[in-house]
Amino acid sequence: MEEGVDVIGLIDGYFETTAAVWHKEILHALSSGVRVFGAASIGALRAAECAVFGMKGIGAIFEAYAAGRIEDDAEVALLHAPRELGYAPLSEPLVNVRATLDRLLRDGSIDGNQFQRLTEAASSIFYKERTWRAILVAALRSSDERAHIGGLVRSFRVDQKAIDAMALMRAVELADDARLTEAPGWEFSHTSYFGMLATQG
């Protein structure tokens, strides 16, 4: 970290099979004057957690975490295909479901009762199994209603994670490519465990 990049943008990461980005890594970067931005997925979550130390959050998902409207990691989690298949998404993250339903409610395409049933159904489904088909089946008894709202989702689905990720990319591109020279106002504490992990690369 003493030599290297001056700006970091954190968007997403693996769950379960690989360790997520550690808070200590972010604090180390910030203490070295690196500008660190986060958005969309674990980037938004970490930005909300590390904002007090100088990490900059971008986008609606960060704002929801920062305001406490959402808290769980599972809000941004999804199942995806392996690298060989381009990591194609196989389930729908809850933040995208919420954004899509908010849009349909604002437009008057669904009513408050439908919004509540769909939101509750989506929240109750395990993230690896959360698809729009599963949500519609769990929330709506009428096949006609499922077909109607399914069509609305296909036409007006909001990919909030992608929107916020693009906003982060723009912020990183516009950021000064130089380290901050002012002291952060707090002191980074090295530990033997962190040092061991850092030397392992």
Side-chain angles (χ1 to χ4, degrees), residues 14 17 79-90:
Y14 274 98
T17 58
L79 178 67
H80 58 73
R83 179 175 59 184
E84 293 77 12
L85 297 177
Y87 301 109
L90 302 177

Side-chain angles (χ1 to χ4, degrees), residues 72-83:
D72 200 328
D73 292 11
E75 289 274 347
V76 293
L78 76 156
L79 178 67
H80 58 73
R83 179 175 59 184

Side-chain angles (χ1 to χ4, degrees), residues 138-181:
L140 308 172
R141 293 184 179 180
S142 166
S143 58
D144 290 341
E145 190 178 20
R146 290 197 298 268
H148 174 66
I149 294 180
L152 293 172
V153 169
R154 285 190 293 273
S155 297
F156 302 109
R157 174 180 173 269
V158 178
D159 189 344
Q160 194 63 55
K161 289 183 72 171
I163 292 168
D164 289 4
M166 291 302 297
L168 180 139
M169 295 299 293
R170 290 192 293 271
V172 168
E173 289 175 358
L174 294 173
D176 291 335
D177 190 13
R179 299 209 176 184
L180 298 169
T181 56

Side-chain angles (χ1 to χ4, degrees), residues 38-41 43-49 51 57-73 75-76 94-96 98-99 102 160-161 164:
S41 190
L45 179 60
R46 289 291 182 266
E49 294 165 337
I58 304 289
I61 297 170
F62 158 73
E63 291 171 2
Y65 273 123
R69 294 194 299 275
I70 60 175
E71 298 178 351
D72 200 328
D73 292 11
E75 289 274 347
V76 293
L94 193 51
V95 288
N96 284 359
R98 293 186 190 280
D102 283 344
Q160 194 63 55
K161 289 183 72 171
D164 289 4

